[in-house]
Amino acid sequence: MTGSPADEPAHYTPGVVKRFRRKPEKTQERGLAAAQYAAGGPLDDLLAVAKMTGGGSAVAECALPDETVLVARWVDVPDDRPSEVQYEVVRDGDWLYYSETYDRLGDDTTRGIEQFYDPVE
């Protein structure tokens, strides 16, 4: 985890895909589906988030000398150019998310997500 338990949001539950909606403001952006990565933990929810982009998605842990990270592979299928394989690297305690607005994966910290999104209960 990154930091102390006080850094974790009250709604945090390990191993569960979370839904978030954009905080009220003048925007056309929709929500996120996100799962928090815990090194050494189950990857099922993270894989479920990755697969929201469509086929060809996969997740795996990568042990580096100083830390273990999650690598998520997904296929970006834009309208204006050929498909391209993309990768997201997620550090322990951070979130892998699927953006419904942009149909893509990303990674962010708890604070980063909570800055712009509210959890959907």
Side-chain angles (χ1 to χ4, degrees):
M1 294 306 203
T2 57
S4 68
D7 291 336
E8 298 303 327
H11 59 272
Y12 172 68
T13 305
V16 176
V17 174
K18 299 285 187 184
R19 291 269 177 199
F20 295 86
R21 67 173 167 266
R22 184 76 178 178
K23 288 188 175 182
E25 61 182 53
K26 295 180 181 177
T27 181
Q28 295 299 315
E29 290 195 28
R30 297 184 307 221
L32 299 178
Q36 194 169 28
Y37 170 60
L43 303 179
D44 297 345
D45 294 329
L46 294 148
L47 181 58
V49 170
K51 287 187 173 189
M52 291 177 182
T53 62
S57 301
V59 296
E61 285 186 309
C62 179
L64 302 173
D66 294 339
E67 66 181 330
T68 299
V69 297
L70 178 82
V71 178
R73 182 190 73 202
W74 60 284
V75 180
D76 185 16
V77 185
D79 294 334
D80 59 347
R81 62 185 188 279
S83 299
E84 185 177 358
V85 175
Q86 300 285 336
Y87 297 90
E88 294 296 328
V89 177
V90 184
R91 297 181 74 185
D92 186 29
D94 287 352
W95 296 76
L96 177 68
Y97 69 79
Y98 169 72
S99 169
E100 296 172 347
T101 301
Y102 301 107
D103 189 29
R104 62 171 290 124
L105 293 181
D107 67 284
D108 209 340
T109 63
T110 298
R111 291 185 202 277
I113 289 177
E114 289 182 341
Q115 179 179 1
F116 297 106
Y117 295 88
D118 289 321
V120 176
E121 301 299 327

